[in-house]
């Protein structure tokens, strides 16, 4: 449970960082979506139930301030977690290039899924696709630059928590 709590705290940090970044970019009318960073580490390194808990909780955190039905992000993040969890044995998890590619493809799938959900309820969905392209490009570039750092941060904090527990004589 210690790992879950540590990762939940990193999810809150990521949510705050993305909120600040998007606030700064609002003058240019660009929005960065970083959904894959909420899902990839738990799916690649935690057990199925632990990772699903972290991914679903992060999705609900993102739902809290998003203009979609509550549970949309949670559902998408949980689905992405389960797909990545099943494929993780075929992914070289410790290679930074592979990590970036997994993050980029996962983010693309989540972005398109969320966009489809939003376009279903939009009054004039035809004009929205031109608006989504700059957001997708900004999101992918931002994640390509920051994914290895954030995944490394999560890994270091989980390992630090494991060392701390070992020093205190606790078992998970």
């Amino acid at each position: 449970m210690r790992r879950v709590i540590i990762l939940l705290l990193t999810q809150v940090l990521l949510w705050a960082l993305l909120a600040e970044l998007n606030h700064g970019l609002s003058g240019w009318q660009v929005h960065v979506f970083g959904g894959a960073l909420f899902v990839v580490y738990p799916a690649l390194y935690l057990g199925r139930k632990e990772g699903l808990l972290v991914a679903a909780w992060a999705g609900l955190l993102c739902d809290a301030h998003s203009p979609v039905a509550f549970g949309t992000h949670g559902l998408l993040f949980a689905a992405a977690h389960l797909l990545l969890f099943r494929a993780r044995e075929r992914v070289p998890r410790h290679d930074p290039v592979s990590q970036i590619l997994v993050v980029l493809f996962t983010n693309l799938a989540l972005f398109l899924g969320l966009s489809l959900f939003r376009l279903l309820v939009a009054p004039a969905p035809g004009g929205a696709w031109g608006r989504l392209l700059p957001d997708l490009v900004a999101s992918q570039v931002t994640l390509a630059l920051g994914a290895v750092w954030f995944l490394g941060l999560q890994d270091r904090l989980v390992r630090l928590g494991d060392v701390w527990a070992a020093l205190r004589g606790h078992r998970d």
Side-chain angles (χ1 to χ4, degrees):
M1 198 61 169
R2 175 184 58 258
R3 291 177 178 184
V4 170
I5 293 169
I6 290 170
L7 289 177
L8 291 177
L9 292 174
T10 65
Q11 304 294 12
V12 172
L13 173 65
L14 175 63
W15 176 78
L17 289 173
L18 285 172
E20 286 298 315
L21 176 64
N22 285 322
H23 178 72
L25 293 174
S26 64
W28 290 315
Q29 297 180 352
V30 175
H31 176 80
V32 171
F33 175 72
L37 288 179
F38 291 102
V39 176
V40 170
Y41 187 87
L44 293 181
Y45 296 102
L46 292 185
R48 185 176 49 122
K49 290 179 184 177
E50 291 174 317
L52 186 60
L53 176 66
V54 172
W57 186 86
L60 295 177
L61 176 67
C62 292
D63 278 333
H65 77 285
S66 183
V68 295
F70 191 73
T72 303
H73 283 91
L75 176 69
L76 286 172
F77 287 8
H81 166 77
L82 292 173
L83 290 171
L84 282 174
F85 184 81
R86 293 199 65 182
R88 77 181 187 174
E89 296 305 321
R90 295 181 289 271
V91 175
R93 295 184 261 178
H94 301 292
D95 177 35
V97 174
S98 296
Q99 289 177 345
I100 291 172
L101 290 175
V102 168
V103 166
L104 291 178
F105 283 120
T106 303
N107 203 63
L108 176 63
L110 288 170
F111 184 89
L112 292 176
L114 185 62
S115 297
L116 289 176
F117 274 121
R118 292 179 74 186
L119 289 177
L120 290 175
V121 297
W129 287 108
R131 175 75 212 107
L132 293 174
L133 186 60
D135 290 350
L136 177 61
V137 170
S139 299
Q140 297 297 79
V141 168
T142 302
L143 291 184
L145 296 173
V148 173
W149 171 80
F150 187 72
L151 294 175
L153 174 69
Q154 288 180 308
D155 191 53
R156 292 288 174 125
L157 290 175
V158 166
R159 289 176 191 237
L160 184 61
D162 290 343
V163 169
W164 177 256
L167 289 174
R168 295 190 62 205
H170 289 69
R171 294 183 189 207
D172 217 6

